[in-house]
Amino acid sequence: HRKDRNNGQWLLREGWDRRLGRTRSIRPSVGEKKRYWPRGVPGRQIDEYFNDKPIGFSETLKQEIDGKQFLIHCTKEDKYVTKLMSTHGLMNEVPTHKTYRCINGEWISFNYTENISRHNKAKHWVDDVNNRRHAPIGLEDVWGTKWWPDRQFTFLCSVSEVNACMSRARGRGLLAEETLSFWRQLAKQMLENNISESGLV
C-alpha cells in the first residue's frame, strides 16, 4: 500500500503482494551477510523494489503474521532503504522536517514522511534515558541480588527516576540536575515520608 501524496488516500499496490508473494520469512541469499530480517519482513525484495526509485520515495507495505496485520514503512535513502515495522502511521510528508543528501556532488532534498520523521526525532530517547540511569552508576550494578524480578524492578525504578528528574527540570524550566544528586534526595524523602499506611499524609 502507499499513500497518495496529493489526496492522502490509501492506494492498493497490488504489485507488492504479487512480487513479494506475501512472504512471511526471508533468509539471506548465499554470500549475503548480516541481512537477516524479522519474520514477515521481505527485506531483500523490498530493496530490489526500491532499486530504481528516487531518493526520498516512500511507500508502505502491509503484511500479516498469525492473523495480525502490521505495516512496513519504507523510504529510499542514498545507499539503503529505511524500513520501520509498525501497527500504525501515515505517509503524510512533514514540510518542517526536510533532509538533504549530496549525490555525485549535487545536493537534493526531500521531506520525511510522518513515520520516519517521528522515528528520527525520537530514536535517541531510549539511549538518553539509559545513559542517565547509568550515570554515574547503574542501580542494577550495585543491587546485590540477580533474581530476575528484582532486575526488572531496578530497571523500572531507574527509568522512573530519570523520567521524574527530567520532568521536574522541564516543569521548572531548568537544566536537569545530576542523576546521583536526584537519587539521594529521592531516597531521603522516601525514607522520611509522612505518608501513613492508608495513603494519607
Side-chain angles (χ1 to χ4, degrees):
H1 286 68
R2 74 179 172 84
K3 193 168 187 213
D4 188 286
R5 296 180 190 277
N6 297 321
N7 60 21
Q9 299 298 311
W10 286 102
L11 302 176
L12 179 62
R13 168 78 63 178
E14 292 178 353
W16 277 76
D17 288 342
R18 226 176 19 252
R19 269 191 297 279
L20 304 180
R22 303 293 286 176
T23 306
R24 294 170 57 92
S25 181
I26 292 297
R27 293 292 178 199
S29 59
V30 176
E32 189 177 19
K33 297 180 180 178
K34 298 181 180 178
R35 292 276 186 188
Y36 292 90
W37 302 98
R39 187 166 65 105
V41 179
R44 186 168 40 82
Q45 285 95 327
I46 292 173
D47 290 341
E48 290 170 359
Y49 173 76
F50 272 80
N51 269 343
D52 60 349
K53 302 293 188 275
I55 293 175
F57 179 82
S58 296
E59 201 162 306
T60 293
L61 168 65
K62 184 185 290 185
Q63 288 289 82
E64 192 173 291
I65 294 180
D66 301 329
K68 304 291 184 184
Q69 178 182 291
F70 69 94
L71 306 173
I72 307 169
H73 301 299
C74 306
T75 295
K76 173 73 178 283
E77 291 283 354
D78 178 19
K79 298 177 180 175
Y80 60 92
V81 178
T82 298
K83 306 170 192 74
L84 299 179
M85 293 178 68
S86 180
T87 55
H88 70 287
L90 299 176
M91 295 297 286
N92 295 332
E93 286 189 12
V94 180
T96 57
H97 198 172
K98 187 180 292 291
T99 186
Y100 298 85
R101 302 288 183 274
C102 185
I103 309 299
N104 299 323
E106 182 181 344
W107 285 96
I108 65 168
S109 67
F110 63 92
N111 296 327
Y112 280 124
T113 54
E114 183 180 301
N115 39 65
I116 304 293
S117 175
R118 286 181 178 175
H119 168 73
N120 286 341
K121 288 178 179 176
K123 61 186 176 184
H124 61 88
W125 290 353
V126 171
D127 293 333
D128 290 350
V129 168
N130 273 334
N131 288 339
R132 280 199 66 97
R133 76 182 187 88
H134 287 129
I137 54 174
L139 188 56
E140 68 271 21
D141 293 332
V142 296
W143 199 285
T145 179
K146 302 304 179 191
W147 188 45
W148 183 245
D150 281 353
R151 302 280 291 183
Q152 291 298 301
F153 179 67
T154 60
F155 171 78
L156 294 173
C157 277
S158 57
V159 168
S160 299
E161 289 165 350
V162 169
N163 287 340
C165 182
M166 300 300 287
S167 296
R168 185 174 75 168
R170 188 169 51 250
R172 293 177 174 177
L174 302 171
L175 292 175
E177 64 184 287
E178 292 184 10
T179 306
L180 194 55
S181 171
F182 181 81
W183 285 351
R184 288 178 176 143
Q185 294 177 57
L186 178 63
K188 188 171 188 295
Q189 290 177 11
M190 289 175 71
L191 289 170
E192 298 175 354
N193 75 80
N194 294 320
I195 299 175
S196 67
E197 290 182 5
S198 64
L200 302 174
V201 177

